[in-house]
Structure formats: C-alpha cells, structure tokens
Amino acid sequence: MEVLARRQFLRFLAASPLLGLTAAGRLLAEETLDAIQLPEYLIKSPADALDVFDFHNVAKQVLPTSHYGYLTTGTDGNETLAANRDAFERVYLRPMRMVDTSNVSLDTVCLDQSLNSPILLAPVGSQKAFHADGELASARAAKTLGHLQILSNVSSNSIEDVIAARGEPVWFQLYPTNNWSIAKTMLRRAQEAGAQVVVLTVDLNSESNRVLLGQFSRADDRDCNACHAAGPDAWLATKPMYAGMDSAAADWDTSGMTWDYLDRLRNETSMKIVIKGIVTAEDAASCVKYGADAVYVSNHGGRAEASGRGSLDSLSEVVAAVDGRVPVLVDSGFRRGTDIFKALAMGASAVSIGRAYIWGLAAFGQPGVEKVLEMLNAELSMVMGQMGARAIADIGPQHIGR
Ligand SMILES: Cc1cc2nc3c(=O)[nH]c(=O)nc-3n(C[C@H](O)[C@H](O)[C@H](O)COP(=O)(O)O)c2cc1C
C-alpha cells in the first residue's frame, strides 16, 4: 500500500510544475563547487581567457600527450601537487576598507633589482616541448610586460638568444652537477651573457617518482625517437647550454652535495646566489649561514618529492627563519592574484609562476604568455584594491588569517 502511494505521488510529481520547483530546490542545496557542471569551452584567442585555467584546457588539447604529461606530472599519487593548491584555501584574506586605492602599483625591488611586478617567470626547461618558439616566446612576453625571467640551464634556447629577446639580463638557473667543470663552464657563460644572478636548484638531488608522466607517455603512440635522440643522456646534447661539452659526462647524481657547494659557487662567480627548493626553517637558516643572497621556497611544483605539503605552508617557517636577513621568493601552485597576494602578505618578496605561463605558451605562444601575465597582474591589482593595499610594501600579515 505504501509502495503504491509512493508511485502515485511520483506520477503526480512528474506531471506537475512542482517537479521544477523540487529540482530547483535540489540544485540550490547542492550548489557546491563540485555540483556546478561548467559547459565545455575552449578559448580561441588569449583575449577570451577569464583565468589561467582557460589556457590549461587549450594546452591539454594541443600538446602531444607525453609533453602534456611532462608539464603536468607530480610525484607518486600527486600529493604535493594537490597540497600546493589546498594550502591557499586554508589562508583567508582580511580586506581593509576606506583606503584610497585609486592608484595601485605593483612596482617592487628584489635583490636590488627594480621590477614592474613581483610576479616572475620560474625556470622551466625544454620549452620547445610546448611551443616551437620555446623560451624566446616567454622572453618576448616578459619584455612586453617588464617581468623578470629565470632561465633554466636545460632550456631549448641559449642564454644569449634569450637575453637578446628579453632585452635585459635574465637570472640563470643551474642544476648542480658533480662534474664541476660543467658547472664552471655554464656559470662563466651565463655571467658573460650578462646574468647577474644564479639560482641553484637543490631539490632534485635524488630521483623523483613521476608516475603521471609515465601514465601519459605510455598513452602516447607517437614515435618519440622521431624528435628525441635515443640514449639516456642524448637529450642533453640538444640543450644549447651544454653545447661543446661532453654531455655524457654531465653527472646528474648530486646525492653527495652538501652546503660547501655554496662556497664553491661563491669562489667561482660574482653573480648573486639564490637557493631554490627550500621548504624548511632549518635549510633556510643554512642558506643564510652559507651566504646565499636569497632563499627561494619551492617544491618544484610538486615534482620533487611526495611530501604532501603545500609550498605556502613551507613559506611561513622559512620567512620566520630568515627573519628579514635576505629576500624570500616562492613558487609552486600559484594560479591567481589572490594566491600571489597571500604569499606577499606572508613575507615573500616575489612569486614565480611555472605551469601557468607554460599553459599560455602552449596554447598561443608569446601572446598566450602575455595574457597570463596581464591577467595575473590585473588580478593582483584588484585584490590589492580590495585589501586596501596601494603598494606591494603595504601588503602584510594584517591582510591574512588562518
Ligand atoms: C615542465 C616543467 C619543467 C621544469 N623545469 C625546471 C628546471 O629546468 N629548473 C628548475 O629549477 N625548475 C624547473 N621546474 C620547476 C619550476 O621552476 C617551478 O618550481 C614550478 O613549476 C612551480 O610550480 P607551478 O608549476 O605549480 O607554478 C619545472 C617545472 C615544470 C612544470
């Protein structure tokens, strides 16, 4: 009897405008982020982008599957990758009202260098894997908008060509190598090209377990050897910074590297030294002790170790340990103006973006990178206006909470 009554009720509902109301009520109740199904949309030009994720969607479509995997991968089950984004959600913003923010400026200074914006282009290697113009497109975009670019030593374009395209020196990022003669040659070359800062990346001294890269690569039926030479070190031979070197001797194993590597660097070059890949107070203190000019908080965009800890969470302890003695930079997971603002409020001097600008590069080349930078600058300016901060120096811990 109860079943029959229920059936009758459902039949009544189906024929009734009440069903619409019921469905609408349910939609409201379920109006969480997960329940909202966005329409599929691929932007056709950079101008259509609403946020940087619009470029991600296009990049995913246009890149070879394995290249997309290389760009996207984290480690293990991508715990750190996810943690990088989650960390932003645990920090809220505290807007300050009634401040005249009719003129917001992003101008700032980092390592004695005047910058139009605290947003930097992180070192991302092999950019021709994402667009035929490679790092030159990123450099031209950085020039148009006046952003600082950090060039990887495993770039697809040479530092000389990138500096020419940028129109100003870039910072040079160096992966350490046990083969000191290789490091030495690169340092000399970077300095002669005009670089004034070397960024030593120290977070890949052990291997990283990039499962997602493997999953995308095995789903790619292209013949990789058609573009990539075969052999374990053959790809290095295609990297301009290794030109003329015995790349087979480029020993990537730096598992024995210790802090005295900084002394070697210091003795070798007059460039300022930034240490990239620091995530703990202890290491931050060591960076200062061993004479680093800046500390760069990064977990390599979740590609180094499966710590499961967001970069923003590491930033607080690093800032506390450094205690204003040297500038602190940060990257990993930054996708929005609010993300950047939160890091600045926690004490970072500058914030680098990695995948966000590479999505722009992959999708549209130089104009894509320009639009990503433009959008992030505009978003940062907007949130500064909302928080009552007219200048980067006005941003502080009073603007955030947990
Ligand atoms: C495809 C790819 C290549 C990278 N290559 C380098 C590199 O050559 N040197 C380096 O220090 N970091 C490299 N990184 C790490 C970035 O410098 C940066 O730490 C990271 O991308 C920041 O995280 P995000 O991508 O979430 O913004 C690379 C990252 C990606 C995604």
Side-chain angles (χ1 to χ4, degrees):
M1 183 64 194
E2 204 182 292
V3 173
L4 185 66
R6 192 176 143 72
R7 270 200 206 124
Q8 278 169 344
F9 177 66
L10 286 175
R11 231 176 279 132
F12 161 74
L13 265 188
S16 154
L18 262 180
L19 181 68
L21 282 179
T22 312
R26 208 185 56 225
L27 184 68
L28 275 181
E30 289 179 0
E31 206 173 80
T32 63
L33 287 183
D34 291 340
I36 297 170
Q37 296 291 313
L38 290 177
E40 296 274 318
Y41 191 83
L42 276 187
I43 56 168
K44 291 172 192 62
S45 99
D48 297 338
L50 298 175
D51 62 21
V52 298
F53 296 102
D54 276 334
F55 291 100
H56 180 200
N57 294 340
V58 179
K60 190 171 182 187
Q61 290 291 318
V62 300
L63 285 176
T65 310
S66 48
H67 292 197
Y68 177 75
Y70 168 60
L71 176 60
T72 308
T73 194
T75 58
D76 286 12
N78 304 308
E79 296 80 359
T80 316
L81 196 65
N84 279 339
R85 293 297 304 143
D86 289 349
F88 294 109
E89 290 186 16
R90 276 177 279 107
V91 176
Y92 61 80
L93 295 171
R94 301 184 67 244
M96 305 284 171
R97 314 294 187 199
M98 309 298 275
V99 179
D100 176 2
T101 51
S102 45
N103 281 311
V104 166
S105 165
L106 299 187
D107 292 351
T108 192
V109 174
C110 186
L111 281 182
D112 302 330
Q113 203 169 326
S114 298
L115 305 173
N116 287 358
S117 164
I119 304 171
L120 317 184
L121 278 69
V124 169
S126 308
Q127 292 188 19
K128 281 192 181 169
F130 310 116
H131 190 274
D133 295 340
E135 287 82 0
L136 296 182
S138 302
R140 290 178 190 128
K143 177 183 183 180
T144 310
L145 286 128
H147 284 254
L148 178 69
Q149 180 181 14
I150 309 176
L151 183 72
S152 165
N153 72 332
V154 289
S155 53
S156 312
N157 294 104
S158 72
I159 191 164
E160 294 82 4
D161 290 349
V162 171
I163 288 179
R166 168 74 187 82
E168 275 181 49
V170 295
W171 290 7
F172 176 64
Q173 177 266 320
L174 177 74
Y175 277 123
T177 152
N178 281 345
N179 185 334
W180 185 244
S181 73
I182 288 192
K184 219 161 108 170
T185 309
M186 278 194 198
L187 287 167
R188 197 169 309 139
R189 181 169 168 187
Q191 202 169 327
E192 278 170 16
Q196 289 152 9
V197 177
V198 58
V199 177
L200 182 75
T201 299
V202 296
D203 56 15
L204 287 184
N205 71 325
S206 178
E207 285 180 46
S208 57
N209 192 25
R210 297 184 178 176
V211 176
L212 195 66
L213 168 59
Q215 288 165 332
F216 274 94
S217 298
R218 73 181 175 198
D220 195 335
D221 52 12
R222 274 162 249 248
D223 173 17
C224 297
N225 290 334
C227 302
H228 301 269
D233 289 322
W235 71 280
L236 270 189
T238 66
K239 304 291 175 201
M241 293 309 290
Y242 286 80
M245 293 183 200
D246 177 7
S247 58
D251 188 351
W252 282 86
D253 176 15
T254 50
S255 50
M257 184 173 66
T258 54
W259 288 105
D260 52 16
Y261 202 91
L262 262 69
D263 290 336
R264 289 177 105 178
L265 267 188
R266 184 61 77 207
N267 291 335
E268 195 55 51
T269 180
S270 60
M271 289 189 278
K272 289 191 171 145
I273 299 173
V274 178
I275 307 297
K276 176 173 183 274
I278 299 302
V279 290
T280 60
E282 293 88 332
D283 283 351
S286 297
C287 286
V288 178
K289 180 175 162 197
Y290 288 92
D293 295 290
V295 178
Y296 187 154
V297 175
S298 171
N299 55 36
H300 219 102
R303 304 158 74 82
E305 64 273 314
S307 67
R309 188 180 192 210
S311 188
L312 196 74
D313 289 328
S314 299
L315 179 63
S316 345
E317 67 177 69
V318 169
V319 166
V322 166
D323 197 21
R325 288 173 290 173
V326 295
V328 176
L329 290 76
V330 63
D331 75 20
S332 297
F334 289 81
R335 307 285 184 263
R336 296 196 187 277
T338 42
D339 303 338
I340 294 160
F341 185 93
K342 287 173 187 175
L344 297 174
M346 286 169 71
S349 295
V351 173
S352 301
I353 52 165
R355 292 181 186 85
Y357 84 88
I358 299 295
W359 293 335
L361 175 71
F364 299 104
Q366 178 188 344
V369 181
E370 284 173 4
K371 182 66 182 179
V372 165
L373 294 170
E374 233 173 73
M375 271 197 312
L376 290 177
N377 284 334
E379 289 177 17
L380 178 59
S381 301
M382 185 176 72
V383 66
M384 284 172 69
Q386 293 165 344
M387 299 304 122
R390 278 176 292 230
I392 298 297
D394 295 341
I395 304 173
Q398 71 277 16
H399 289 118
I400 51 168
R402 275 184 191 269

